[in-house]
């Protein structure tokens, strides 16, 4: 394929002051994977993911301290609304930021999103009421709609043979962030109680017991903000021309004569003016729908796992402390990192993204079915089994999402990649908004039916998660899912 593309690239007109053209030239000169650019993608994607789930290990205690829940069993209900507010904000603005990224560039949107983490995540840690916490998370979601832009950017900084690696970097760092973020929340929330020799009761961390983990993530975001100074732009901006992005790879193979070359240029210009309707692109839309189903399950699991691990054994939980939950998530993150960087690229190359997605979804179902029985264990055996199960579950989840990332970005040309990713993020955020709220409500209801004859207690919780997973698995097959054309 590269042999066919090399002469094709030579026929595309370049503009000296266009960042997209400079990136195209850089890609032509690349002799391997652009590891420096992938490292930028890693730290940016990690920054966007750290704060998404960092609140889950301490959210139970934060809601309790707000004294809004009248009964202990109702805490999960209110926690679900705070967890969902981020996704509601992201659903409302993702399409807007995608259009901005396609028109003004990827870098400005990335900088705005990172700056929002610095501001609103810090203010969330300083929340003094349920409504303040809810509004800060909502605003954070409104301005931090970066995932779609980062995914589009990852596809544009490297040649096609490295796109699987680039998208794996995005999903890996995102997965690590969704694990390390809660680990930070679990370790460093309520520092006065955990580290009394380091933090005084009269200090700001005594008055705001959930501020320290938020502050740590915000400090990291400040560092990322400065690092993005060296982040190159990939959007095509041609002086005196329309600010349209053009992907040289999207041009059909021209004939060898001069007339063929002219016809090809006319065809390219016509396609830039008359872009196809993304909502009529069934490979894109079907992949987005499947992605939404799995995202709903993933977010509900993230909410439920922490609530389940923190709840008392008499309710079918593990009776863990927030620090115990942090340890499990940190170990899971390390295992996930090794798998995604060392094993995922060769597995994806051999099996293909769609088969990886199907296998990951199928294996997750029996794994989740065994989670309620882990609560019957105790001591070192309990910690060993829950760590192994958590590593496997998170590895399968991220592998599944990575495969869908590849299918989604292959379904559109570069000129529509920002908007296409924004559509998927908007739809996914709507589904994810139901995840924490629905998961919290489901968990609270399950705790009240410990002696039910059919799927008592937490068995019902994990059964519902598996039903959603099974629906997503079915939708990965034809005639529903249409694979992008090569």
């Amino acid at each position: 394929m590269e042999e066919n593309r090399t002469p094709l690239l030579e026929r595309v007109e370049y503009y000296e002051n266009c960042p997209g053209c400079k990136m195209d030239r850089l890609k032509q000169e690349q002799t391997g994977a652009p590891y420096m650019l992938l490292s930028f993608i890693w730290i940016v994607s990690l920054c966007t993911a750290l704060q998404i789930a960092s609140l889950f290990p301490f959210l139970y205690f934060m809601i309790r301290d707000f004294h809004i829940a009248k009964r202990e069993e109702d805490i999960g209900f209110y926690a679900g609304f705070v967890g969902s507010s981020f996704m509601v904000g992201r659903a409302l603005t993702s399409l807007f930021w995608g259009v901005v990224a396609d028109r003004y560039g990827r870098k400005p949107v990335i900088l705005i999103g990172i700056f929002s983490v610095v501001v609103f995540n810090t203010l969330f840690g300083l929340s003094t009421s349920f409504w303040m916490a809810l509004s800060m998370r909502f605003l954070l979601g409104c301005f931090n709609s970066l995932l779609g832009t980062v995914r589009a950017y990852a596809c544009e900084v490297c040649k096609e043979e490295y796109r699987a690696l680039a998208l794996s970097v995005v999903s890996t760092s995102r997965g690590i962030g969704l694990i390390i973020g809660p680990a930070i929340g679990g370790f460093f929330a309520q520092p006065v109680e955990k580290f009394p020799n380091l933090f005084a009761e009269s200090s700001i961390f005594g008055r705001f017991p959930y501020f320290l983990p938020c502050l740590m993530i915000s400090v990291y975001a400040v560092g990322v903000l400065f690092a993005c100074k060296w982040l190159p732009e990939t959007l095509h901006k041609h002086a005196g021309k329309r600010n349209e992005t053009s992907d040289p790879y999207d041009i059909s193979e021209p004939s060898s004569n001069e007339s063929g070359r002219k016809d090809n240029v006319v065809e390219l210009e016509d396609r830039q003016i008359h872009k196809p309707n993304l909502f009529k692109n069934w490979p894109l839309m079907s992949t987005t729908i499947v992605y939404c189903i799995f995202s709903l399950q993933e977010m509900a699991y993230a909410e439920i796992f922490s609530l389940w691990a923190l709840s008392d054994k008499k309710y079918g939980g593990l009776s863990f402390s927030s620090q115990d939950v942090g340890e499990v998530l940190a170990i899971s993150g390390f295992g996930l990192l090794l798998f995604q960087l060392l094993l995922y690229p060769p597995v994806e190359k051999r099996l293909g993204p769609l088969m990886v997605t199907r296998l990951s979804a199928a294996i997750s179902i029996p794994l989740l079915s065994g989670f309620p029985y882990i609560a019957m264990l105790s001591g070192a055996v309990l910690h060993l089994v829950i760590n192994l199960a958590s590593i496997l579950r998170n590895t399968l989840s991220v592998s599944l999402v990575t495969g869908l990332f590849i299918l989604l970005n292959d379904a559109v040309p570069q000129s529509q990649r920002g908007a296409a990713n924004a559509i998927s993020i908007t739809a996914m955020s709507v589904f994810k908004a139901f995840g924490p709220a629905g998961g919290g409500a489901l968990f609270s209801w399950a705790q009240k039916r410990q002696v039910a004859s059919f799927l008592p207690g937490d068995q019902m919780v994990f059964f519902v998660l598996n039903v959603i997973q099974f629906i997503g698995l079915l939708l990965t097959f034809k005639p529903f899912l249409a694979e992008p054309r090569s």
Side-chain angles (χ1 to χ4, degrees), residues 205-220:
F205 302 110
R207 288 181 286 124
F208 301 97
Y210 311 105
F211 176 53
L212 181 58
C214 297
L215 178 64
M216 295 176 68
I217 294 173
S218 296
V219 169
Y220 172 75

Side-chain angles (χ1 to χ4, degrees), residues 53-88:
S54 61
L55 73 164
F56 289 149
F58 62 78
L59 185 57
Y60 184 92
F61 304 109
M62 176 183 265
I63 298 299
R64 182 197 63 187
D65 293 347
F66 288 153
H67 304 293
I68 193 170
K70 296 180 180 179
R71 298 182 302 171
E72 184 178 353
E73 293 90 335
D74 295 330
I75 290 177
F77 176 77
Y78 289 98
F81 283 103
V82 176
S84 296
S85 58
F86 175 89
M87 292 300 166
V88 172

Side-chain angles (χ1 to χ4, degrees), residues 439-462:
L442 175 64
F443 183 80
S444 295
W445 173 65
Q447 285 198 324
K448 299 171 184 176
R449 56 186 308 275
Q450 298 295 325
V451 295
S453 57
F454 177 71
L455 297 174
D458 294 328
Q459 290 186 33
M460 175 60 75
V461 174
F462 290 100

Side-chain angles (χ1 to χ4, degrees), residues 77-152:
F77 176 77
Y78 289 98
F81 283 103
V82 176
S84 296
S85 58
F86 175 89
M87 292 300 166
V88 172
R90 193 162 76 172
L92 293 175
T93 60
S94 287
L95 188 56
F96 167 77
W97 291 117
V99 173
V100 171
D102 277 345
R103 183 167 184 176
Y104 299 104
R106 320 302 192 202
K107 187 173 179 177
V109 175
I110 290 174
L111 293 175
I112 292 171
I114 296 172
F115 182 73
S116 73
V117 175
V118 177
V119 176
F120 297 116
N121 188 61
T122 301
L123 292 175
F124 174 74
L126 296 172
S127 296
T128 55
S129 68
F130 171 78
W131 294 108
M132 180 178 177
L134 189 74
S135 59
M136 290 303 103
R137 290 290 295 180
F138 173 76
L139 290 173
L140 182 59
C142 287
F143 286 91
N144 188 29
S145 301
L146 286 186
L147 180 56
T149 301
V150 172
R151 286 190 334 209

Side-chain angles (χ1 to χ4, degrees), residues 273-317:
I273 298 172
H274 304 287
K275 294 183 178 181
N277 190 333
L278 290 176
F279 292 100
K280 295 181 180 180
N281 183 334
W282 184 241
L284 170 65
M285 300 312 297
S286 61
T287 303
T288 298
I289 293 171
V290 174
Y291 179 39
C292 288
I293 299 297
F294 286 127
S295 295
L296 170 64
Q297 199 266 5
E298 177 191 37
M299 201 64 183
Y301 169 83
E303 169 88 359
I304 287 169
F305 179 81
S306 294
L307 293 174
W308 172 65
L310 292 169
S311 62
D312 197 276
K313 274 190 172 289
K314 67 182 180 180
Y315 294 119

Side-chain angles (χ1 to χ4, degrees), residues 175-316:
I176 294 293
L178 292 176
I179 293 170
I180 298 300
I184 293 173
F187 276 120
F188 297 104
Q190 301 170 311
V192 173
E193 298 179 14
K194 296 173 182 174
F195 314 106
N197 295 329
L198 296 177
F199 300 95
E201 184 71 37
S202 58
S203 67
I204 188 173
F205 302 110
R207 288 181 286 124
F208 301 97
Y210 311 105
F211 176 53
L212 181 58
C214 297
L215 178 64
M216 295 176 68
I217 294 173
S218 296
V219 169
Y220 172 75
V222 171
V224 174
L225 197 60
F226 282 108
C228 284
K229 174 183 178 182
W230 293 276
L231 195 71
E233 180 58 73
T234 61
L235 186 70
H236 285 267
K237 298 179 180 179
H238 299 162
K241 299 278 185 178
R242 296 176 305 273
N243 278 351
E244 298 283 355
T245 53
S246 61
D247 192 347
Y249 293 165
D250 295 330
I251 310 173
S252 58
E253 183 64 31
S255 59
S256 58
N257 56 37
E258 187 67 25
S259 176
R261 291 178 59 186
K262 291 180 180 179
D263 291 343
N264 199 62
V265 172
V266 172
E267 179 186 353
L268 172 60
E269 292 179 351
D270 183 66
R271 289 173 62 180
Q272 287 181 331
I273 298 172
H274 304 287
K275 294 183 178 181
N277 190 333
L278 290 176
F279 292 100
K280 295 181 180 180
N281 183 334
W282 184 241
L284 170 65
M285 300 312 297
S286 61
T287 303
T288 298
I289 293 171
V290 174
Y291 179 39
C292 288
I293 299 297
F294 286 127
S295 295
L296 170 64
Q297 199 266 5
E298 177 191 37
M299 201 64 183
Y301 169 83
E303 169 88 359
I304 287 169
F305 179 81
S306 294
L307 293 174
W308 172 65
L310 292 169
S311 62
D312 197 276
K313 274 190 172 289
K314 67 182 180 180
Y315 294 119

Side-chain angles (χ1 to χ4, degrees), residues 13-52:
E13 188 175 4
Y14 285 90
Y15 296 82
E16 288 297 330
N17 296 324
C18 172
C21 291
K22 291 179 181 178
M23 179 56 66
D24 286 342
R25 285 180 175 176
L26 181 63
K27 285 192 289 186
Q28 284 183 277
E29 297 169 0
Q30 287 175 6
T31 56
Y35 291 108
M36 180 61 71
L37 292 175
L38 293 180
S39 66
F40 278 114
I41 294 171
W42 171 276
I43 63 173
V44 170
S45 184
L46 180 65
C47 180
T48 65
L50 279 174
Q51 32 69 42
I52 293 177

